[in-house]
Amino acid sequence: MRTRGGNRLRILLIVQEYTKWRRARHVSYCSQLGLEEALLADGIECFTLTTPWLGQARRICAGSRFDQVWIDIIQSSLGDEIFADQGLLEWVAARAPVRVGFLPESLDYTSEEESHQPLLGLRRRNVESRIPYLTHVVACDEIDAERIAGRGLAPAIWWPQAVTERSIGGIDPVPSEDPAIFTGAVYGERARWLDHPDLKGLLVHLPPPEDATLYPICFNTLHKAARAFLRGRLPGASSALSAYLGALRHIRRRSYASWLAGLRQGCAVVNLPHFVKTYAGRVMEGMAAGRPIISWDIPDRPRNRALFEEGREILLFSRESPEQLADQIRRIRRDPVLARRLAENGQAKVRRFHTLERRTREILRWIETGDQPAYGAGSPISGVAT
């Protein structure tokens, strides 16, 4: 990827990161350092900062200019103190002529969802106050992308989840006697689903696989050292950042590999209801891992619904029906041909349309031309069994 002058495109990538693994484990690699991996694979010159280092950004990037800035502008649970200093946003706006804000979560929530996490009710207002500092917005929720663009706040594009190309593996035989698995945080109504009598013996919650490794301890130790360095305002910030990022990449990539391996432990991967109104990363990740996917049918999101064909690449269930989810798991367990077909078709769709390498190229092309990709919606993969 080159600029008009023939030089490599330079992107300042600012990604959300926590300082304790207890919270950091819930941040998707593919919406964070996975973006860096995909940009570098495309020949982009990418300078990465994580949010704990933003306080030193002016010093580290002094005198530097970039072609684009990519930044997560939700920073969920980090608190709005990250953006309380409007001077920081002004500094970001001065770094590059193109500033792309990423929204990895939805902006609007029901009253029931807000009752579980009251701060969700402030998200839309807070995010929209940051958009004037941006030139483009990339939103995981298609409704948010439509509203932001429709109101003239900024050009906006819908951003379905994706996986790294290297994470797409082979397809092992689906273990028909094993339960389906759910991986992720247990919040909201998920506990009720996991304890529902109709799902006993059919659905289990997989504990974080990295808990059996030293990576959580390494992660916490790394950030404890980084905090001490940053508090001391010691010289050599650029070298310290480079060492920090090297260690962080190793921890994040190995933990991501453990996560993907864990998805292969069941007969299927289940995507239980969640607050974000798009397919969670576990849908594409489970397909990459070679397992059938059973997801709740997210309402009022037609573009998301069209990403995968029901009965051919994915199975769906109603949010109001644990019984329907139980029936879908039983279908997988008693029909190995169906299980294999779903795994093959889902993985083929991900390989063709939902890799991070492809997704970053689509975003860059949209910035340049304004053309919005279709993401393979409604396009079956030829040569795969139906």
Side-chain angles (χ1 to χ4, degrees):
M1 176 67 65
R2 295 183 178 275
T3 63
R4 292 179 182 175
N7 299 316
R8 293 172 65 194
L9 192 71
R10 299 189 71 219
I11 292 180
L12 171 60
L13 177 66
I14 302 175
V15 299
Q16 175 181 331
E17 188 56 276
Y18 294 93
T19 58
K20 297 291 181 62
W21 186 253
R22 176 179 56 84
R23 302 177 79 177
R25 64 158 48 106
H26 302 301
V27 177
S28 168
Y29 174 80
C30 291
S31 63
Q32 186 213 40
L33 288 180
L35 291 172
E36 176 195 63
E37 181 178 333
L39 289 169
L40 292 173
D42 202 31
I44 309 284
E45 185 178 340
C46 185
F47 188 91
T48 303
L49 284 174
T50 65
T51 44
W53 288 77
L54 277 179
Q56 296 290 323
R58 295 173 177 85
R59 183 157 63 116
I60 294 170
C61 298
S64 296
R65 291 278 298 171
F66 302 88
D67 300 299
Q68 299 181 15
V69 176
W70 288 19
I71 181 171
D72 177 340
I73 59 168
I74 283 187
Q75 312 296 347
S76 62
S77 299
L78 281 176
D80 290 314
E81 66 272 10
I82 289 290
F83 290 112
D85 176 10
Q86 294 298 313
L88 174 61
L89 287 171
E90 292 171 356
W91 177 85
V92 167
R95 292 311 94 200
V98 175
R99 285 94 59 193
V100 186
F102 282 74
L103 304 179
E105 300 175 35
S106 296
L107 296 186
D108 290 323
Y109 297 88
T110 66
S111 56
E112 180 183 356
E113 289 166 341
E114 290 179 14
S115 70
H116 291 286
Q117 296 186 23
L119 290 178
L120 294 177
L122 303 175
R123 176 166 291 166
R124 178 173 167 183
R125 184 196 68 187
N126 290 339
V127 167
E128 289 186 354
S129 72
R130 299 161 190 163
I131 292 179
Y133 295 91
L134 307 172
T135 61
H136 300 76
V137 172
V138 176
C140 76
D141 189 331
E142 63 193 81
I143 297 299
D144 291 333
E146 292 171 4
R147 181 179 59 244
I148 290 168
R151 291 178 55 196
L153 299 179
I157 190 176
W158 177 46
W159 170 41
Q161 296 300 294
V163 298
T164 58
E165 288 180 356
R166 63 180 174 80
S167 68
I168 303 175
I171 299 179
D172 300 326
V174 176
S176 60
E177 296 184 1
D178 289 349
I181 61 169
F182 168 72
T183 57
V186 179
Y187 64 78
E189 60 186 293
R190 288 176 171 178
R192 177 176 62 84
W193 282 82
L194 291 167
D195 291 335
H196 197 281
D198 285 344
L199 293 168
K200 289 294 183 183
L202 294 176
L203 178 66
V204 297
H205 180 230
L206 184 72
E210 74 277 356
D211 281 357
T213 73
L214 291 175
Y215 289 118
I217 296 174
C218 293
F219 182 93
N220 292 340
T221 302
L222 173 65
H223 283 89
K224 183 176 180 180
R227 284 198 305 272
F229 175 85
L230 293 170
R231 281 198 302 265
R233 298 187 63 83
L234 300 173
S238 295
S239 297
L241 174 64
S242 179
Y244 160 86
L245 286 173
L248 181 64
R249 291 184 189 107
H250 179 76
I251 294 168
R252 279 288 187 183
R253 290 173 184 175
R254 294 301 296 270
S255 297
Y256 180 54
S258 296
W259 166 273
L260 292 170
L263 297 178
R264 300 185 180 97
Q265 295 185 22
C267 69
V269 174
V270 173
N271 184 40
L272 288 177
H274 44 72
F275 292 166
V276 182
K277 311 308 188 297
T278 192
Y279 283 139
R282 73 179 62 84
V283 171
M284 280 67 166
E285 290 163 348
M287 290 178 177
R291 283 294 179 263
I293 301 299
I294 310 174
S295 175
W296 71 297
D297 191 1
I298 302 173
D300 305 320
R301 298 301 188 274
R303 296 186 69 190
N304 181 81
R305 182 68 156 75
L307 287 175
F308 301 106
E309 184 179 340
E310 158 71 359
R312 188 179 189 281
E313 297 160 341
I314 196 170
L315 296 180
L316 301 175
F317 62 91
S318 168
R319 184 172 194 159
E320 287 73 39
S321 181
E323 300 83 3
Q324 188 179 15
L325 171 56
D327 288 342
Q328 298 287 42
I329 297 173
R330 292 189 188 99
R331 285 182 66 191
I332 294 291
R333 295 179 67 169
R334 68 172 176 258
D335 190 343
V337 175
L338 170 66
R340 180 79 182 191
R341 184 170 70 239
L342 287 166
E344 289 179 344
N345 290 340
Q347 189 177 92
K349 178 64 75 69
V350 165
R351 190 186 302 275
R352 182 171 176 185
F353 294 108
H354 302 298
T355 65
L356 276 173
E357 290 81 357
R358 179 186 178 99
R359 192 70 82 242
T360 52
R361 288 194 297 269
E362 288 168 333
I363 293 170
L364 290 169
R365 190 179 307 116
W366 165 69
I367 292 170
E368 183 178 356
T369 68
D371 295 336
Q372 299 225 12
Y375 302 120
S379 300
I381 303 298
S382 61
V384 180
T386 59

